Amino acid sequence: MPLLVCAFRGSPASPRNAAAHVGAVWSEAPCPVLVVDRHGALVQLNRAARSLLPRARGGVRLADIAPSWLSDAHRHMAAGEPSVSPGPLTGSIDERHFEAYPSPSAEGGVVWWLVDGTDRHRAEEALHSAQERSSVLAEASSRLLATLNVPRCMEVTAAMAAEHLAEAAVLVAPPHGRRHTLTYAHRRGPVSQVTRKIDPRGVAGLSEALQGYPPVPARWINPDDIPDWLIPEGFTEPVGSVIIAPLPGHGVPAGALVLLRSSTRKCFSDGEEAFARLFAARAGAALSAARLYTEQAAITATLMRELLPPVLERVHGVEYAAGYRPAKDHERVGGDFYDFHPGADPTQETLVVLGDVAGKGLDAAVLTGKIRNTLHALLPLAADHQQVLSLLNGALLTSHHARFATLVLASVSRRGGWVQARLTSAGHMPPLIVRNSGEVEEAATRGTLVGALPEVSACTVETTLAPGETCLLYTDGITEARGGPLGDEFFGEDRLRRALAECVGMPAEAVVERVQMLAAQWLGGGRHDDMAVLAISAPKTGPLSVVGGEVRHAHNRRSR
């Protein structure tokens, strides 16, 4: 039950009379009570006051036996100066915390009631400290989880540790070979990061912390044994106290955090050590997540390089160009694909493949990768398209994928100024050929899709491209692009043919860009399927314009 403190405002003739007026109240009070005259001399005090201030007795000046916070307050009050403190007067006496309540009397005398608030003060300090630490941990979680960049995460960890836990901090990352990444932070300096060869066994507890063992108590670490490489630049004071906390990770340690405090500051307390371990746990989880993300991103990038379509260029006198747009803008691969296998020399055919796997996204992209790898293994048999398709069909039927694919094979070679191409469709739209006359022909090749039936059948056609002519391979994402004025009409093959008729004499890259641009304009902002387009062109050897009639070209002829 809190002590009830009463302020007496009588008007006796003297301070001593003031004491007599309240004597029956304060003489047996459980809290210390001091009666002080206007000149600062003690008039009377009770038993609790004598126990608190052994040198206190009548006639002694308050300033000689009491702390300055109390004697200064009495002087100001006796002089009639208003108090500037918004609450009760507080201060310490012999490591105890007191609240002083005055009862002014006539002629400037004051009765001081001293209430021991040590327990409440400590509880309030503990609560305030807990709130501050909770705030620091919340901020740490927010800032550390806001980045999945490992170096940045280490910098934030060291900076926050130096700001809130110590005067300086060093984060020691797990070793890469015999070298460690060290992140230094000083409360009054910048954060720096270096990689160097160190021996963690020279620091008590550091080698164990890097292996994930429990931390060594700070009192076991001799600050004099801290090596120079562990002290941040700008930390010039002698090291007085050290904490080494492991950074726990997901399965493997994420490193160790070293906290340094100068000899001019008090040593780390048990509570501060416990808080440092909590902070290190948050930091270790964030660092582990960042490293895991970095590793997965590196693996994804490596695999993605194999799934991404190749860059096409002019090879053996033939122009090649292609473009790909996945169904979703944030994706890089999907169900449409193309591949390119140049011949070893100009006498060898170049194999070009364009296809469409059922489905979208990563699952479809995985199957496209398998098809591309299988076709790469079948390159020695590329002269026989039917055999290649049959072997690919068998490989897909024996896989765990329940998907099928359509594709077009094109074997291309340069013969003089002309380009010869063998074209085979397996369930795919036939290629379109843009002649110099402006006519757009459809290659007469048909076939069944692969990966669905026990047998696959297809027919191969041969065609010749005169200089300036182009053969276009495309997926249904182009013709089935839904858009237009009302947003619900297909782009269609007729529009594609008209667009190609306007591309007479254009190089392969320009034809691809033209088709992609028109399809994108037709779509607007609407949804669409994967779209792939590939052009094979015979380069012009003369001017772009044709004089004296149309260029002679060979017609398609069917082969078995």
Side-chain angles (χ1 to χ4, degrees), residues 177-342:
R178 301 182 65 182
R179 302 178 73 85
H180 295 257
T181 298
L182 306 176
T183 305
Y184 297 95
H186 188 255
R187 188 173 295 179
R188 295 183 297 275
V191 179
S192 60
Q193 199 168 86
V194 299
T195 300
R196 61 174 58 172
K197 183 179 177 181
I198 64 170
D199 183 7
R201 294 172 299 178
V203 182
L206 180 56
S207 179
E208 292 78 3
L210 289 171
Q211 298 178 54
Y213 291 110
V216 173
R219 62 181 179 274
W220 291 8
I221 304 174
N222 185 359
D224 296 334
D225 294 337
I226 298 298
D228 293 339
W229 61 261
L230 200 55
I231 300 177
E233 184 178 353
F235 189 80
T236 57
E237 302 87 352
V239 178
S241 186
V242 184
I243 290 179
I244 298 178
L247 298 172
H250 301 298
V252 294
L257 183 63
V258 182
L259 304 177
L260 306 174
R261 184 172 284 178
S262 68
S263 57
T264 59
R265 297 280 303 277
K266 64 178 182 180
C267 295
F268 290 107
S269 65
D270 293 341
E272 289 173 325
E273 284 194 63
F275 177 58
R277 289 194 291 271
L278 288 175
F279 178 86
R282 301 284 181 99
L287 279 167
S288 183
R291 286 199 176 97
L292 181 62
Y293 172 81
T294 300
E295 292 173 1
Q296 291 178 340
I299 294 172
T300 301
T302 301
L303 296 176
M304 191 68 70
R305 282 195 295 270
E306 298 299 320
L307 294 177
L308 289 175
V311 177
L312 304 190
E313 56 187 358
R314 182 167 178 164
V315 175
H316 301 325
V318 183
E319 288 183 356
Y320 301 92
Y324 174 68
R325 181 179 178 181
K328 296 181 180 179
D329 292 338
H330 65 274
E331 295 178 343
R332 301 178 63 191
V333 295
D336 289 6
F337 69 96
Y338 58 85
D339 213 344
F340 178 70
H341 302 282

Side-chain angles (χ1 to χ4, degrees), residues 68-95:
S68 58
W69 63 268
L70 182 58
S71 60
D72 291 345
H74 177 79
R75 186 176 67 255
H76 291 306
M77 189 169 184
E81 299 175 1
S83 173
V84 296
S85 176
L89 181 65
T90 60
S92 298
I93 302 177
D94 289 342
E95 298 183 355

Side-chain angles (χ1 to χ4, degrees), residues 484-556:
L486 300 179
D488 60 350
E489 186 179 356
F490 285 146
F491 184 71
E493 186 175 332
D494 290 341
R495 287 188 180 84
L496 177 60
R497 285 172 175 266
R498 289 197 297 270
L500 290 175
E502 299 171 355
C503 297
V504 174
M506 289 185 180
E509 187 174 357
V511 174
V512 169
E513 289 181 356
R514 176 69 175 168
V515 172
Q516 284 188 308
M517 181 190 69
L518 292 176
Q521 290 176 346
W522 184 259
L523 281 169
R527 298 173 58 185
H528 60 89
D529 199 354
D530 296 330
M531 296 188 293
V533 59
L534 188 151
I536 305 168
S537 296
K540 279 200 167 189
T541 56
L544 290 178
S545 60
V546 178
V547 180
E550 66 180 48
V551 177
R552 176 170 166 262
H553 60 271
H555 294 285
N556 296 343

